[in-house]
Amino acid sequence: MSEESIQALGTVLDAAQRIVCFTGAGISTESGIPDFRSPGTGLWTKMKPIQFQDFVASDDTRQESWRRKFSGDKTIEQAQPNKGHLALARLVERGQCLGVITQNIDNLHQNSGIPDNKVIELHGNATYASCLECNTRYELADLEAQFVAINRIEPCKHCGGIIKTATISFGQAMPETEMLRAQEYTEQCDLMIVLGSSLTVFPAAGFPQYAKEIGASLAIVNREETPLDDIADVVVREQIGSTMALVVGLN
Ligand code: NAD
């Protein structure tokens, strides 16, 4: 069953010329970053997430959020790309894949060698921060040094705006440019490959469905069932790293 489905994935992949990969937390578990919905991990049950509105409204809440950030673990900052990320980078390098639409915030697609302009981050990025007003980028190491020194993060030195990690928080609007670019990728691709997503977080999960509806092939590589398995051309219920290394021909 698995061998057949992996072979089928290889066949659709070889026939495609404009692949778009759609990735979720599952592609990064082999790099040691837990996902949200695999049994037993439950990242966000450990601490109640801070809503965007509360972060913006209260300086105390902002400082609490920074305290969490700097006292929490550094799993994301220290993670390295795995075979799954590297296989996707190879597809992009070969010119067979337009790019990646990702729900991940871990920067591992960029670290695997895919150019920044080919990684569309729907939920932002946890490895740096930016000003909510003027978008100036701030490095976490510099902010951490400030937090250690004065026990708080000051407003943006350019415009006085609020500095926040570059992730999209609960209650925060989806990034417009990224949503538009993801739609363009979806309309251009002849094959969308979903890798490691439960396809339950919307609006992100709408892209694979849309790709299939407008004529692209749809392949899903995910350990567990997803709501789109029934409409997919190929479903592979295997580990992403070994599966993608095999079909892409990574040594
Ligand atoms: P999810 O946790 O809902 O689903 C992950 C899916 O991947 C699960 O169905 C699981 O069975 C599968 N999976 C896990 N490891 C796998 C592997 N090695 N091989 C094959 N399948 C595997 O993830 P989601 O759909 O991305 O939604 C979660 C949300 O959480 C996203 O919005 C994302 O922004 C955020 N998140 C990001 C990270 C990260 O950046 N690495 C980590 C946790 C959560």
Side-chain angles (χ1 to χ4, degrees), residues 25 29-30 36-37 103 105-106 123 197-198 222-224:
T29 56
E30 292 169 57
F36 277 164
R37 289 175 187 79
Q103 302 170 88
I105 53 174
D106 55 27
H123 296 161
S197 174
S198 59
N222 205 63
R223 275 197 307 233
E224 293 167 284

Side-chain angles (χ1 to χ4, degrees), residues 197-231:
S197 174
S198 59
L199 294 176
T200 51
V201 179
F202 282 85
F207 291 111
Q209 182 164 2
Y210 180 44
K212 178 67 189 166
E213 279 167 8
I214 58 175
S217 301
L218 179 63
I220 298 177
V221 186
N222 205 63
R223 275 197 307 233
E224 293 167 284
E225 275 179 40
T226 82
L228 293 191
D229 288 1
D230 287 347
I231 63 162

Side-chain angles (χ1 to χ4, degrees), residues 3-17 19 96 190-191 193 217-219 233-234 236 243 246-248:
E3 253 173 54
E4 267 172 39
S5 63
I6 291 174
Q7 237 172 29
L9 177 64
T11 306
V12 287
L13 191 140
D14 288 344
Q17 288 165 342
I19 300 170
Q96 207 185 344
D190 57 0
L191 168 65
I193 310 179
S217 301
L218 179 63
D233 299 271
V234 180
V236 181
T243 302
L246 196 68
V247 294
V248 170

Side-chain angles (χ1 to χ4, degrees), residues 120-141:
I120 300 175
E121 294 173 319
L122 296 178
H123 296 161
N125 191 309
T127 66
Y128 65 95
S130 54
C131 170
L132 290 175
E133 293 300 320
C134 71
N135 266 333
T136 297
R137 175 176 168 137
Y138 288 87
E139 302 308 324
L140 291 180

Side-chain angles (χ1 to χ4, degrees), residues 33 69-70 72-80 105-108 111 126-128 140-141 144 165:
I33 304 174
K69 177 81 185 163
F70 297 133
D73 76 352
K74 301 257 188 286
T75 310
I76 288 190
E77 285 85 346
Q78 288 164 0
Q80 298 295 324
I105 53 174
D106 55 27
N107 210 57
L108 291 181
N111 292 351
T127 66
Y128 65 95
L140 291 180
E144 186 164 9
T165 50

